[in-house]
């Protein structure tokens, strides 16, 4: 299927419509990317082992294999013009091997940092940015020392492999250290202890960088979490303009400093001292950027495509205040057959996305709602009311229990 319509001998030459984009990972982020790619005349091929992967349903083709499967990676390289990803925990070794064959954007160097909280925070500090104080911990004795240094409360996290608030334990007093250490694997995986930041708001910034080094950023948004999972995003974040500018500058510093080609989402907390602390980065589209589909002059997925194909980046503009609420398994099941969805869509400015996942469970991201309104708070009210109505109907009439397909 690869058309090889760009000239790989010309480094500045863009990858044009008609080309094939390989996507590592087949979840909802890949699905929304593939829809945008198709709109713009590109082909997509997904690498994911799941035969019902959300992205595989809308892409041109899917290679059903894990990325660690080297022959599958080779096939992806042979059939695509460029490779991008929607999942930052892709195997770094396999991505490095792919990079020998084809441009992979972002590359293995960025992934290595994004997969490890210790490297993330170390890099942020190297670039002059603030993070929570932290210590790398590999034994219980080191944890006891670290708790003494950083004080309580503090948060023990696995350095790798955590997501949506998983792999974390709050240490409220030094006596909690042993239990927390055992809970997180007793030193089998590397750990990080972070000082607790007393914050008033969580925000994120999404930046794009092209192969030519140009950077463009989306507005800063506020994120509210429930049980460690993103619940609600408000765009724009209610921050004073200088603080919002500072947040964008932090995002751009990391994007340039890590040499990202593609997207970089940077999660931060706003301390009660009005200082911004970098918490996590993700070199891919981000749940907090879903609102861009309806509310911005360019969606995060189109911007990812522009960046990885070497097309001019769009200058993102927020066209209207917006809010996005996730639809989890407990809110709507798979979302099939709910009359309340029709009622929700009767609200002006409300949009629905469902990811086509075939089974639901609590905490699994099944879709999202976006509302546009005159203010982000008003939009938030709209999406929360719509979601509450959907959830109420779903609770009255839940789907038959479905198998556990794991979080994506
Ligand atoms: P994370 O998986 O690092 O994004 O953490 C999940 C959530 O825990 C964040 O969204 C914050 O609400 C909270 N959190 C994480 N790290 C800290 C910290 N150092 N201080 C205070 N709250 C934190």
């Amino acid at each position: 299927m690869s058309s090889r319509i760009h000239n790989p001998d010309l480094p500045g030459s863009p990858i044009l419509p008609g080309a094939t984009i390989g996507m590592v990972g087949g979840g909802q982020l890949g699905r929304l990317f593939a829809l945008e790619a198709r709109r713009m005349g590109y082909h997509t091929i997904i690498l994911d082992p799941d035969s019902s992967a959300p992205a595989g349903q809308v892409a041109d083709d899917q290679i059903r294999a894990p990325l660690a499967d080297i022959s599958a990676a080779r096939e992806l390289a042979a059939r695509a013009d460029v490779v991008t990803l929607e999942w930052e925990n892709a195997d770094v070794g396999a991505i490095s091997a792919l990079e020998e064959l084809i441009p992979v954007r972002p590359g293995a160097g960025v992934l290595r940092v994004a997969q490890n909280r210790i490297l993330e925070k170390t890099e942020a500090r190297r670039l002059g940015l603030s993070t929570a104080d932290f210590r790398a911990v590999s034994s219980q004795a080191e944890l006891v020392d670290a708790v003494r240094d950083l004080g309580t409360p503090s948060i023990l996290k696995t350095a790798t492999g955590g997501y949506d608030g998983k792999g974390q334990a709050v240490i409220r007093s030094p006596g909690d250290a042993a239990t927390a250490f055992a809970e997180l694997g007793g030193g089998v995986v590397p750990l990080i202890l972070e000082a607790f930041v007393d914050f008033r708001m969580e925000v994120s910034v999404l930046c794009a960088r092209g192969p030519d080094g140009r950077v463009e950023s989306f507005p800063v948004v506020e994120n509210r979490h429930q049980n460690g999972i993103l619940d609600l995003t408000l765009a724009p974040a209610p921050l004073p303009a200088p603080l919002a500018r500072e947040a964008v500058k932090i995002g751009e510093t990391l994007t340039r400093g890590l040499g990202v080609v593609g997207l970089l989402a940077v999660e931060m907390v706003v301390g009660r001292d009005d200082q911004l602390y970098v918490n996590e980065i993700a070199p891919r589209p981000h749940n907090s950027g879903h609102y861009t589909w309806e509310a911005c002059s360019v969606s995060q997925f189109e911007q990812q495509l522009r960046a990885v194909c070497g097309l001019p980046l769009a200058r993102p503009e927020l066209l209207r205040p917006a809010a996005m609420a996730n639809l989890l398994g407990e809110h709507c099941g798979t979302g099939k057959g709910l009359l309340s969805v029709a009622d929700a869509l009767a609200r002006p400015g409300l949009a629905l996305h469902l990811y086509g996942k075939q089974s639901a469970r609590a905490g699994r991201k099944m879709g999202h709602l976006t509302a546009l309104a005159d203010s982000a708070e008003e939009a938030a009210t709209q999406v929360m009311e719509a979601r509450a109505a959907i959830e109420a109907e779903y609770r009255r009439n839940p789907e038959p229990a479905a198998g556990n397909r794991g979080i994506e």
Side-chain angles (χ1 to χ4, degrees), residues 117 121 132-133 155 157 162-166 168 194-199 202 225 228 267 269 279-280:
R117 292 180 187 277
K121 291 200 161 60
D133 272 343
I155 307 182
K157 302 179 181 178
Y163 58 90
D164 284 346
K166 297 207 168 10
Q168 305 196 3
E194 294 182 15
F196 190 84
V197 179
D198 187 16
F199 64 83
E202 297 192 59
H225 295 86
E267 294 183 53
V269 296
N279 181 36
E280 261 199 304

Side-chain angles (χ1 to χ4, degrees), residues 179-190:
T179 321
F181 188 70
E183 226 174 83
L184 297 194
V188 173
V189 290

Side-chain angles (χ1 to χ4, degrees), residues 329-349:
E330 64 267 39
H331 298 132
C332 66
T334 61
K336 288 179 194 154
L338 290 169
L339 201 56
S340 50
V341 164
D343 295 339
L345 291 175
R347 292 165 183 272

Side-chain angles (χ1 to χ4, degrees), residues 165-215:
K166 297 207 168 10
Q168 305 196 3
V170 177
I171 297 183
R172 291 180 205 288
S173 73
D176 293 345
T179 321
F181 188 70
E183 226 174 83
L184 297 194
V188 173
V189 290
L191 301 173
I192 177 173
L193 184 75
E194 294 182 15
F196 190 84
V197 179
D198 187 16
F199 64 83
R200 65 181 176 88
M201 192 189 299
E202 297 192 59
V203 298
S204 58
V205 173
L206 192 58
C207 305
R209 181 170 173 274
D212 62 355
R214 241 189 87 198
V215 172

